[in-house]
Amino acid sequence: QSALTQPASVSGSPGQSITISCTGTSSDVGSYNLVSWYQQHPGKAPKLMIYEVSKRPSGVSNRFSGSKSGNTASLTISGLQAEDEADYYCCSYAGSVIFGGGTKLTVL
Amino acid sequence: QVQLQESGPGLVKPSETLSLTCTVSGGSISSYYWSWIRQPAGKGLEWVGHIYSSGSTNYNPSLKSRVTMSVDTSKNQFSLKLSSVTAADTAVYYCARDVGVFDYWGQGTLVTVSS
């Protein structure tokens, strides 16, 4: 099973919106709504930001949203803030667990 | 608040067995799946496998031949053993509660494979 495909990096200015894509196959992302997103700051453990494609855990800002179309899931961050600068990983939980390669978000 | 803490040797020799334990506090280990996830320096996350509190397991197919997980509900702990390690197994190893997503994580422990 191959890793899900994410762009290596994205960037945006404070206040702007960015979207990170996560492409899998019809056997994982395309078949199940068990797609989640994690934020990881340097030296820290990942933090759950989105689960089941578009649901936010308690305490996660509503600036974070998720969606899916076909075999591609997306994470959108609106109103970018400096503290959003981090690595972001998507994850498909479909029998086995597959992570994306990660996307480094830079807030300019 | 559930907390997880990894423990174990930070240095393992090539061809030997890596052994880590995760201690869960603030909640019971029962009735949940618990996962191990690793991350080589500067690279992405890789799921190693998970274990249910009853002891049933599911491992990453790429590591299955070398992985053994166990659980001790009396101590609220679960463990990972990875045999025949090489330098490619050098990584930060995280334990996490697995509810179809990973909602609680340990801080991670660096394991280096080197002679």
Side-chain angles (χ1 to χ4, degrees):
Chain A
Q1 50 189 10
S2 301
L4 305 175
T5 300
Q6 297 181 233
S9 63
V10 298
S11 62
S13 299
Q16 289 185 331
S17 294
I18 63 94
T19 296
I20 300 171
S21 62
C22 170
T23 301
T25 70
S26 57
S27 297
D28 40 63
V29 174
S31 289
Y32 304 93
N33 283 335
L34 297 177
V35 176
S36 51
W37 289 90
Y38 299 84
Q39 176 192 66
Q40 186 180 35
H41 287 109
K44 300 294 187 182
K47 175 186 176 184
L48 177 66
M49 304 302 284
I50 295 287
Y51 67 100
E52 293 179 12
V53 175
S54 60
K55 297 178 181 178
R56 275 189 313 275
S58 175
V60 172
S61 170
N62 59 9
R63 298 186 297 105
F64 291 83
S65 62
S67 63
K68 190 183 83 167
S69 177
N71 297 337
T72 298
S74 298
L75 172 71
T76 297
I77 308 174
S78 59
L80 269 179
Q81 299 179 1
E83 59 262 35
D84 298 333
E85 185 162 295
D87 294 327
Y88 291 84
Y89 294 92
C90 61
C91 177
S92 170
Y93 198 113
S96 191
V97 177
I98 310 171
F99 285 98
T103 298
K104 181 176 181 59
L105 169 62
T106 300
V107 180
L108 302 171
Chain B
Q1 179 79 345
V2 175
Q3 293 184 311
L4 295 88
Q5 178 67 58
E6 305 89 350
S7 59
L11 181 63
V12 182
K13 290 182 169 55
S15 80
E16 295 191 344
T17 296
L18 176 160
S19 295
L20 294 174
T21 295
C22 182
T23 301
V24 179
S25 59
S28 175
I29 202 170
S30 297
S31 303
Y32 288 101
Y33 283 95
W34 302 89
S35 273
W36 288 97
I37 296 160
R38 69 181 186 177
Q39 184 174 37
K43 296 188 178 180
L45 301 167
E46 180 181 35
W47 181 71
V48 177
H50 69 200
I51 185 166
Y52 191 63
S53 54
S54 65
S56 65
T57 56
N58 186 21
Y59 303 142
N60 185 322
S62 68
L63 299 169
K64 188 174 184 176
S65 63
R66 299 193 291 128
V67 173
T68 303
M69 294 183 184
S70 59
V71 62
D72 187 337
T73 54
S74 67
K75 294 182 178 179
N76 241 31
Q77 294 177 334
F78 62 103
S79 298
L80 167 70
K81 291 188 186 299
L82 181 65
S83 64
S84 304
V85 297
T86 69
D89 295 310
T90 294
V92 173
Y93 285 76
Y94 294 100
C95 57
R97 192 174 78 168
D98 180 345
V99 293
V101 294
F102 308 105
D103 57 353
Y104 292 100
W105 295 68
Q107 64 185 23
T109 188
L110 174 62
V111 179
T112 301
V113 178
S114 175
S115 56

